[in-house]
Amino acid sequence: MPALTRYRAALALVLPLALAACSSVSDASRSAMHKLTPYKVEVVQGNVVTKEQVQALQPGMSRQQIREILGSPLMTSVFHSDRWEYVFTMKRQGVAEQTRKLTVFFQGDSFVRAQGDEMPSEEEFIASLSKPKGKLKIPPLQATPEQLAKYPGPAAQPDASTANSASNSATSSAPQRSYPPLERD
């Protein structure tokens, strides 16, 4: 039988098997694949503005004073030089996305007013950082006796006099090396 004919015969046998294997993914396998979720990077953008910071703003403050309290604005517009936009967005896996906006209005160099979303207090914001959705499975932090039995303990250490004489004999049998000086005279 020529080589080309053998190749075609092998291909005729393997191709239907390969196609059948692709369609044999069961519903259980598909549902297991959908439960696996890829790692999503935490994304934090913008300035965190708290209720305490907004309460510290007083009409008549300069732009520099506002910048010292709230930080540099995320957005400023050439067309709207009389307002600064503070936007905060945080996306974390297992936690609802947080987005807050605050617009600060000026008249010349003086602060006039601020408007935007209800800002959380510092305590509320910190509490919102540590509330993932769902249950986190915390592994046991202590090994059971059965787990410890799998690994032998450290070997018994010889007494100090035996260890010293063994190390001295090892160094005396090793050839002495001489190295050239690091710096030239």
Side-chain angles (χ1 to χ4, degrees), residues 6-7 16 28 33 40 65 68 80 85 93 125 153 160 168 173:
R6 278 187 268 157
Y7 175 73
M33 284 190 266
K40 294 180 183 176
Q65 290 172 316
E68 288 172 4
H80 302 284
E85 305 285 337
Q93 190 168 1
F125 177 72
N168 288 339
S173 65

Side-chain angles (χ1 to χ4, degrees), residues 84-148:
W84 287 351
E85 305 285 337
Y86 289 88
V87 180
F88 171 74
T89 305
M90 183 169 65
K91 297 178 184 177
R92 294 174 53 206
Q93 190 168 1
V95 178
E97 180 179 329
Q98 294 183 32
T99 301
R100 292 188 180 82
K101 298 173 187 170
L102 179 73
T103 305
V104 177
F105 293 92
F106 295 96
Q107 192 169 37
D109 189 43
S110 298
F111 169 71
V112 177
R113 65 185 168 94
Q115 80 179 38
D117 298 333
E118 180 71 24
M119 298 298 159
S121 67
E122 288 181 22
E123 293 173 356
E124 292 169 344
F125 177 72
I126 291 171
S128 72
L129 293 178
S130 61
K131 289 186 180 177
K133 287 182 192 172
K135 293 184 178 179
L136 292 177
K137 191 173 187 178
I138 300 173
L141 299 178
Q142 186 172 6
T144 63
E146 294 82 25
Q147 292 170 330
L148 291 175

Side-chain angles (χ1 to χ4, degrees), residues 18-46:
L19 291 174
C22 289
S23 66
S24 69
V25 176
S26 68
D27 290 334
S29 300
R30 283 192 185 108
S31 67
M33 284 190 266
H34 288 291
K35 288 182 182 176
L36 295 175
T37 57
Y39 174 75
K40 294 180 183 176
V41 178
E42 293 185 4
V43 179
V44 178
Q45 294 178 322

Side-chain angles (χ1 to χ4, degrees), residues 48-77:
V48 176
V49 178
T50 63
K51 186 184 298 185
E52 293 85 1
Q53 289 172 307
V54 175
Q55 290 171 350
L57 303 178
Q58 300 297 320
M61 289 180 137
S62 70
R63 290 178 186 250
Q64 182 60 35
Q65 290 172 316
I66 301 299
R67 183 176 276 124
E68 288 172 4
I69 294 172
L70 300 178
S72 296
L74 185 65
M75 295 185 285
T76 57
S77 172

